[in-house]
Amino acid sequence: MDKPTLPKGTRDFGPAVMAKRQYILDAIRKVFQKFGFQPLETPAMENLSTLTGKYGEEGDQLLFKILNSGDFLKDVTTAKLETKNSKSITADISEKGLRYDLTVPFARYVVMNKHEIPTPFKRYQIQPVWRADRPQKGRYREFYQCDADVVGTDSLTCEAEIILMIREVFQSLNIEDYTIKINHRGVLTGLAELAGAKENQTALFVAIDKLDKIGEDKVKEELLGKGFSEKSIKTVFDILNFQGTTSQKVVFLNDQFTKSEAGDRGVSQLSAVLRLLRDYNSDDKHVEFDIALARGLSYYTGCIFEVKINNVSIGSVSGGGRYDNLTAAFGDKENLSGVGFSFGVDRLYDAMEELNLFPKEAQASTKILICHFDEETQRFGLKELSALRAAGISAEVYPDQSKMKKQLDYANKKMIPYAIVIGSEETKNGFLTFKNMETGEQEKLTVQQIIQKLKA
Amino acid sequence: MDKPTLPKGTRDFGPAVMAKRQYILDAIRKVFQKFGFQPLETPAMENLSTLTGKYGEEGDQLLFKILNSGDFLKDVTTAKLETKNSKSITADISEKGLRYDLTVPFARYVVMNKHEIPTPFKRYQIQPVWRADRPQKGRYREFYQCDADVVGTDSLTCEAEIILMIREVFQSLNIEDYTIKINHRGVLTGLAELAGAKENQTALFVAIDKLDKIGEDKVKEELLGKGFSEKSIKTVFDILNFQGTTSQKVVFLNDQFTKSEAGDRGVSQLSAVLRLLRDYNSDDKHVEFDIALARGLSYYTGCIFEVKINNVSIGSVSGGGRYDNLTAAFGDKENLSGVGFSFGVDRLYDAMEELNLFPKEAQASTKILICHFDEETQRFGLKELSALRAAGISAEVYPDQSKMKKQLDYANKKMIPYAIVIGSEETKNGFLTFKNMETGEQEKLTVQQIIQKLKA
């Protein structure tokens, strides 16, 4: 029999990786909840009618589709089968697909439950999504998304709170060197207007979005190719290259946008968000107004965010923005404005690994392993084990009668920081050998003394 | 456009349900970790070669299969397509399926990672599984399983700890009236031997397994139909109907099984587990030796468990047992004995709902909502909000300028227990109106006094 394998692009998360992932997700979840976001989970499978047409043609290709159960070919005509047209036959043999992101299921949920949910509705959702992408380094066919959105309000306190939440998550993960880039769709539109490119703004945003990756010269080349004049390109880059603090940029753009309604709206909303941060008794630390931030999606209508961890290989770990009409794709007529952001869990994981930020404690399974020399000493250890657990200390006993080395190896493999070794001596006087697995240090203590020590 | 729907047999878990589910899962996870179990997550999709043949023919039918990406019909001959034989064409157009349970992926993981994992390996896994079953009340096509297993040891401390873990989970969920039924595969074999039905034991176990559902008379009828003699049926029921405590049953069966090696092994292992519980400084509270417990699966080879919550409509919420050769289905030659159990999360949820055991606090999203009369009072409230959050209190501000009634309705809808109401008066003297949403009681307090009150 062949050794079993994993489907390509998928991963097992073993105990060591899971411990670190849970450390990240717990930190995020805790902050989401502290700020009033409530959890939602939707099914892995959605009707294809819910999913198709929401992610563009390329997205439709990347949906994983579920084969109908039973005799799925029964109602397909032989003539149609003979065409061997996979695309057109798909609809006959598959009516469900796997979740491609968390936004469309969220919108579907809101439409189906609009009369029951609180308004505004603050939800977070942490679940895997599936994409039939070509697997490559850092790109998987199954990966977690971790979204938080507020819908049903256009209050800019939501934007300010997104900044506060990102900072609180990073603080609890001990990530110190990072930048929250912020921009506004209106600022980008204003920029297009100044460049006389109002009709061609998508091409402009697409090009600008690549600045980070390909640099100024190549972006200029691309714009020339798309028919932008030298003059309008100069106008764009004079603005993009303005150097200054966030407040100085606000003042500078205010001057530029006197004739652009969109630009003016963008700058004043951004400055309102910054003022709100002060109202929150906070400041704009880590926040950088980045006029070039476009984040591809034409989807955003207000503020846009992107968070980069500095000095690591994959920097961008979070992003989001304000959008209009979350539920319009489902024919909903209410104009549900919302703002949301998401953390890239895999990228956060890689960055934290690179920065060596996972605390050892977060990776330990239990705190203490009880080791023994024979059945009698093991049985003696069981009541000590119960005493430890009753005190809230996670603990385990080595279950088999094995050599001491094997037992201690087990502790090391599970990163268990302490061991109690019980010999016949210990069963007589109640003083247990308490061993620090890292330093090798040993002392004789009663179980109560050990509990006190670990609780201190 | 039609209103979107959910695929049949699937569910959304909205905030209220999620809060309760998380309450259950957190309690379980905490106990698993306290006892040294480590988390594992496997992908939703597995190769069909991993899944098929593991769940019997019926199970194979119930696997959700993923349509291959791209031009999946390309390599299927027209002749084959013309047969319209769905079953045989499936293998050509689908190579992956959705996880059907957590045991097969676990076995696959162990085989693929046997040199890295600690031995014995204690893992827990809480993930959804998918079955193309006919949906009906209480039976879903997507549902969570919640498994814990130890493999690589036959120590009976594992069985004892399963009992301790179940009791600790139930204690933390405040479930008091329940029974942990325990039996041993050897006892069942011994019973078959006494009844002279060693060759026909599966039929005997299948019939006995239905005692709870169809009663003694019908089981006897079934056994007669399967060719059991009146005499052997009497032997079986004389033993099944023995009344007594767990220890009395042990003594009684010891006498019966003097000539049955399997029966003797079963009784002595059960009594060893009970003795171990005393070594753990515990007892056999809630434990009931149930000679009739068979749990269908021929899969088990040692102790078997089933947990019932008494006086609720669906009682059985947990079960498990010891098995041999977890990894044999993957051609692995090591004889990996293991013991595991799982909680039925949906059933636990229903039982707790029926017993009204979910604490209100577990369902609240935030602890406090800040309400206000206009933009100025809202902005004043933001620094109070930050103070509450800095003290670790989950809190939110109503984001829009809305009527007070609407703001308080929002708090009620989210089950937020307290509100702070800020008017212009409050912005001047710093004494905030602190309102208990349940009693309606109000007092004037500073934010520091509120923090002290909530922390107390």
Side-chain angles (χ1 to χ4, degrees):
Chain A
M1 191 178 296
D2 288 340
K3 224 187 155 183
T5 57
L6 278 173
K8 63 181 174 179
T10 69
R11 296 165 287 175
D12 287 321
F13 298 121
V17 177
M18 274 299 286
K20 294 179 192 170
R21 287 175 65 90
Q22 283 188 350
Y23 176 75
I24 294 175
L25 291 178
D26 284 349
I28 294 174
R29 199 178 285 121
K30 211 173 145 189
V31 172
F32 284 167
Q33 290 181 343
K34 194 170 173 183
F35 279 71
F37 288 76
Q38 296 181 293
L40 172 70
E41 281 189 10
T42 62
M45 299 186 283
E46 293 277 357
N47 292 321
L48 282 176
S49 56
T50 298
L51 299 175
T52 15
K54 308 299 192 300
Y55 307 106
E57 205 175 321
E58 201 205 2
D60 286 351
Q61 301 294 325
L62 299 183
L63 292 172
F64 277 110
K65 295 169 191 85
I66 314 268
L67 200 54
N68 292 343
S69 305
D71 188 2
F72 55 89
L73 289 174
K74 198 179 52 183
D75 296 329
V76 193
T77 63
T78 310
K80 189 159 190 186
L81 282 175
E82 281 166 349
T83 66
K84 287 179 77 171
N85 183 332
S86 296
K87 224 182 216 174
S88 93
I89 291 170
T90 299
D92 297 308
I93 62 175
S94 167
E95 58 186 26
K96 289 184 290 289
L98 294 181
R99 189 166 58 216
Y100 181 86
D101 74 355
L102 303 180
T103 306
V104 166
F106 173 49
R108 189 225 3 101
Y109 176 82
V110 170
V111 171
M112 285 175 66
N113 298 275
K114 60 197 307 185
H115 302 298
E116 290 81 47
I117 58 178
T119 320
F121 185 46
K122 299 165 84 168
R123 87 87 172 78
Y124 73 85
Q125 192 167 354
I126 303 178
Q127 290 191 281
V129 301
W130 297 271
R131 296 181 184 182
D133 242 323
R134 187 183 305 275
Q136 57 186 64
K137 193 176 161 2
R139 190 193 286 170
Y140 302 99
R141 293 185 144 191
E142 172 181 74
F143 57 96
Y144 270 75
Q145 287 193 338
C146 177
D147 285 18
D149 289 79
V150 194
V151 292
T153 171
D154 53 14
S155 166
L156 294 173
T157 56
C158 304
E159 275 83 345
E161 294 213 344
I162 286 178
I163 294 171
L164 295 174
M165 288 164 77
I166 291 168
R167 290 207 298 228
E168 194 154 332
V169 167
F170 280 24
Q171 193 182 359
S172 79
L173 294 176
N174 274 309
I175 300 173
E176 286 170 358
D177 190 5
Y178 65 93
T179 307
I180 303 173
K181 295 185 177 193
I182 179 169
N183 196 11
H184 194 287
R185 180 59 196 263
V187 168
L188 289 167
T189 303
L191 192 66
E193 286 174 14
L194 285 182
K198 206 176 164 182
E199 273 67 51
N200 210 358
Q201 50 175 306
T202 308
L204 178 65
F205 303 157
V206 168
I208 288 178
D209 210 26
K210 299 180 190 158
L211 256 177
D212 257 12
K213 278 185 208 139
I214 63 176
E216 189 169 325
D217 291 346
K218 292 243 155 121
V219 170
K220 283 178 173 167
E221 231 171 77
E222 179 171 330
L223 287 173
L224 275 173
K226 296 263 174 192
F228 285 76
S229 71
E230 295 271 6
K231 187 173 159 249
S232 77
I233 293 174
K234 184 174 179 318
T235 310
V236 166
F237 276 91
D238 280 351
I239 293 175
L240 291 182
N241 289 330
F242 176 81
Q243 299 292 320
T245 63
T246 289
S247 332
Q248 287 164 340
K249 282 181 189 165
V250 167
V251 173
F252 167 72
L253 284 181
N254 255 331
D255 285 349
Q256 302 287 322
F257 287 153
T258 45
K259 282 183 188 145
S260 162
E261 204 186 310
D264 186 57
R265 190 177 70 98
V267 175
S268 52
Q269 289 202 350
L270 282 175
S271 80
V273 170
L274 297 170
R275 196 188 56 193
L276 279 169
L277 286 175
R278 292 192 297 275
D279 290 332
Y280 274 96
N281 224 350
S282 184
D283 52 36
D284 61 1
K285 210 176 159 194
H286 296 291
V287 178
E288 183 190 307
F289 180 7
D290 180 356
I291 308 172
L293 179 67
R295 279 190 70 75
L297 289 167
S298 50
Y299 176 71
Y300 293 123
T301 54
C303 286
I304 43 189
F305 303 95
E306 186 163 295
V307 188
K308 297 206 167 180
I309 300 180
N310 301 319
N311 306 313
V312 296
S313 34
I314 298 184
S316 173
V317 296
S318 174
R322 181 170 287 280
Y323 45 82
D324 282 338
N325 273 331
L326 174 76
T327 52
F330 291 105
D332 191 51
K333 283 186 191 67
E334 263 178 84
N335 184 8
L336 269 189
S337 176
V339 57
F341 72 116
S342 73
F343 284 106
V345 185
D346 288 314
R347 288 173 165 210
L348 257 179
Y349 184 99
D350 291 346
M352 292 205 32
E353 197 72 284
E354 200 174 330
L355 295 167
N356 203 14
L357 285 179
F358 288 110
K360 262 203 166 158
E361 311 84 77
Q363 299 168 59
S365 45
T366 36
K367 203 125 196 167
I368 205 155
L369 175 73
I370 295 187
C371 307
H372 43 85
F373 290 96
D374 51 26
E375 201 195 321
E376 196 195 319
T377 49
Q378 182 188 36
R379 287 182 60 188
F380 178 87
L382 298 181
K383 70 170 187 308
E384 314 294 22
L385 179 56
S386 289
L388 289 164
R389 287 175 179 160
I393 295 165
S394 61
E396 56 188 306
V397 62
Y398 193 84
D400 295 319
Q401 309 308 326
S402 303
K403 290 212 173 98
M404 188 52 59
K405 184 178 176 311
K406 196 170 173 197
Q407 300 184 45
L408 295 173
D409 281 352
Y410 172 84
N412 283 327
K413 212 157 186 178
K414 285 184 87 169
M415 295 185 72
I416 300 175
Y418 302 100
I420 286 175
V421 180
I422 302 181
S424 58
E425 175 90 14
E426 278 81 358
T427 64
K428 279 168 207 142
N429 61 24
F431 278 89
L432 314 172
T433 303
F434 179 65
K435 186 180 165 85
N436 182 318
M437 294 297 293
E438 192 164 2
T439 64
E441 227 175 313
Q442 295 193 176
E443 39 185 339
K444 295 273 186 185
L445 299 171
T446 65
V447 72
Q448 287 310 323
Q449 288 170 329
I450 292 170
I451 290 170
Q452 272 165 25
K453 208 179 162 95
L454 292 179
K455 292 240 142 184
Chain B
M1 190 179 292
D2 288 340
K3 228 188 151 182
T5 58
L6 278 172
K8 61 181 177 181
T10 70
R11 296 164 289 174
D12 287 320
F13 298 121
V17 177
M18 275 298 286
K20 294 179 191 169
R21 286 175 67 90
Q22 282 188 349
Y23 176 77
I24 293 175
L25 292 177
D26 284 348
I28 294 174
R29 199 179 284 120
K30 211 173 145 189
V31 172
F32 284 167
Q33 290 181 344
K34 193 170 175 184
F35 279 71
F37 288 75
Q38 296 181 294
L40 171 70
E41 283 189 10
T42 62
M45 298 186 283
E46 295 276 357
N47 292 321
L48 281 175
S49 55
T50 298
L51 299 175
T52 9
K54 307 299 191 300
Y55 306 107
E57 205 175 322
E58 200 205 3
D60 286 351
Q61 301 294 327
L62 299 184
L63 292 173
F64 277 110
K65 297 169 189 86
I66 313 270
L67 200 55
N68 291 344
S69 304
D71 188 3
F72 54 88
L73 288 174
K74 198 178 54 183
D75 297 328
V76 194
T77 63
T78 310
K80 190 159 187 186
L81 281 176
E82 280 166 349
T83 66
K84 288 179 72 170
N85 184 332
S86 297
K87 224 181 214 173
S88 93
I89 291 171
T90 299
D92 298 306
I93 61 174
S94 167
E95 58 187 26
K96 289 185 289 290
L98 294 182
R99 190 165 59 216
Y100 181 86
D101 73 354
L102 303 178
T103 305
V104 166
F106 173 49
R108 193 238 340 115
Y109 175 83
V110 170
V111 171
M112 286 176 65
N113 298 276
K114 60 198 305 185
H115 302 297
E116 289 82 46
I117 57 178
T119 320
F121 185 46
K122 299 166 83 167
R123 87 87 173 76
Y124 73 85
Q125 193 168 352
I126 303 178
Q127 289 191 282
V129 301
W130 297 270
R131 296 182 183 180
D133 242 323
R134 187 182 304 275
Q136 57 187 66
K137 194 176 160 6
R139 190 192 286 170
Y140 302 99
R141 293 184 144 194
E142 172 181 74
F143 57 96
Y144 270 75
Q145 287 193 337
C146 178
D147 284 19
D149 289 80
V150 194
V151 291
T153 171
D154 54 13
S155 166
L156 295 173
T157 56
C158 304
E159 275 83 344
E161 295 213 343
I162 287 177
I163 293 171
L164 294 174
M165 288 164 78
I166 291 169
R167 289 207 297 227
E168 194 155 333
V169 167
F170 280 23
Q171 194 181 0
S172 78
L173 294 176
N174 275 310
I175 300 173
E176 288 170 355
D177 189 6
Y178 64 94
T179 307
I180 304 174
K181 295 186 175 192
I182 179 169
N183 195 12
H184 194 287
R185 180 60 196 262
V187 169
L188 289 168
T189 303
L191 192 66
E193 286 174 16
L194 286 183
K198 205 177 167 183
E199 272 67 53
N200 210 359
Q201 49 177 309
T202 308
L204 177 65
F205 303 158
V206 168
I208 287 178
D209 210 25
K210 299 180 191 159
L211 256 178
D212 256 12
K213 276 184 210 141
I214 62 176
E216 190 169 325
D217 290 346
K218 292 243 157 122
V219 171
K220 284 179 172 165
E221 229 170 78
E222 178 171 331
L223 287 172
L224 275 173
K226 297 264 176 195
F228 285 76
S229 71
E230 294 271 6
K231 187 172 160 248
S232 76
I233 293 174
K234 184 175 180 317
T235 311
V236 167
F237 277 90
D238 280 351
I239 293 175
L240 291 183
N241 289 330
F242 176 82
Q243 299 293 320
T245 64
T246 290
S247 333
Q248 286 165 339
K249 282 181 189 165
V250 167
V251 174
F252 168 73
L253 283 181
N254 254 331
D255 285 349
Q256 303 287 322
F257 288 152
T258 44
K259 281 181 188 148
S260 161
E261 205 183 311
D264 186 57
R265 189 178 69 98
V267 175
S268 52
Q269 290 203 351
L270 283 175
S271 80
V273 170
L274 297 170
R275 197 187 55 194
L276 280 168
L277 286 176
R278 291 192 298 275
D279 289 333
Y280 275 96
N281 225 351
S282 185
D283 52 36
D284 62 0
K285 209 178 158 194
H286 296 290
V287 178
E288 183 190 305
F289 179 8
D290 180 357
I291 309 171
L293 179 67
R295 277 191 69 74
L297 289 167
S298 51
Y299 177 73
Y300 294 121
T301 55
C303 286
I304 42 188
F305 303 96
E306 186 163 293
V307 187
K308 297 207 166 180
I309 300 180
N310 301 321
N311 305 314
V312 295
S313 35
I314 298 183
S316 173
V317 295
S318 174
R322 181 170 285 280
Y323 45 82
D324 282 340
N325 274 330
L326 174 76
T327 53
F330 292 105
D332 190 52
K333 283 188 188 65
E334 263 179 83
N335 185 8
L336 269 189
S337 175
V339 57
F341 71 116
S342 73
F343 284 107
V345 186
D346 288 315
R347 288 173 167 211
L348 257 180
Y349 184 99
D350 290 346
M352 290 200 40
E353 198 72 283
E354 199 172 330
L355 296 167
N356 203 14
L357 284 180
F358 289 108
K360 262 202 169 164
E361 312 84 77
Q363 299 168 61
S365 46
T366 37
K367 203 123 194 171
I368 204 156
L369 175 72
I370 295 188
C371 307
H372 44 84
F373 289 97
D374 51 27
E375 201 194 322
E376 196 195 317
T377 48
Q378 181 188 36
R379 287 181 60 189
F380 178 87
L382 299 181
K383 69 169 188 306
E384 315 293 22
L385 178 57
S386 288
L388 289 164
R389 287 175 179 159
I393 295 165
S394 61
E396 56 188 305
V397 61
Y398 194 83
D400 295 318
Q401 310 308 326
S402 303
K403 290 212 174 99
M404 188 52 58
K405 184 178 177 311
K406 196 169 173 197
Q407 301 184 44
L408 295 173
D409 280 352
Y410 173 84
N412 283 328
K413 210 154 186 180
K414 283 184 87 171
M415 294 185 74
I416 301 174
Y418 302 100
I420 287 175
V421 179
I422 302 182
S424 58
E425 176 91 15
E426 279 81 357
T427 64
K428 280 169 207 143
N429 61 23
F431 279 90
L432 314 172
T433 302
F434 178 67
K435 187 181 164 84
N436 182 318
M437 293 298 292
E438 193 163 2
T439 63
E441 228 174 313
Q442 296 192 177
E443 37 184 343
K444 295 275 186 183
L445 298 171
T446 66
V447 71
Q448 288 309 324
Q449 288 170 327
I450 292 170
I451 290 170
Q452 274 166 23
K453 209 180 160 93
L454 291 179
K455 291 239 143 182

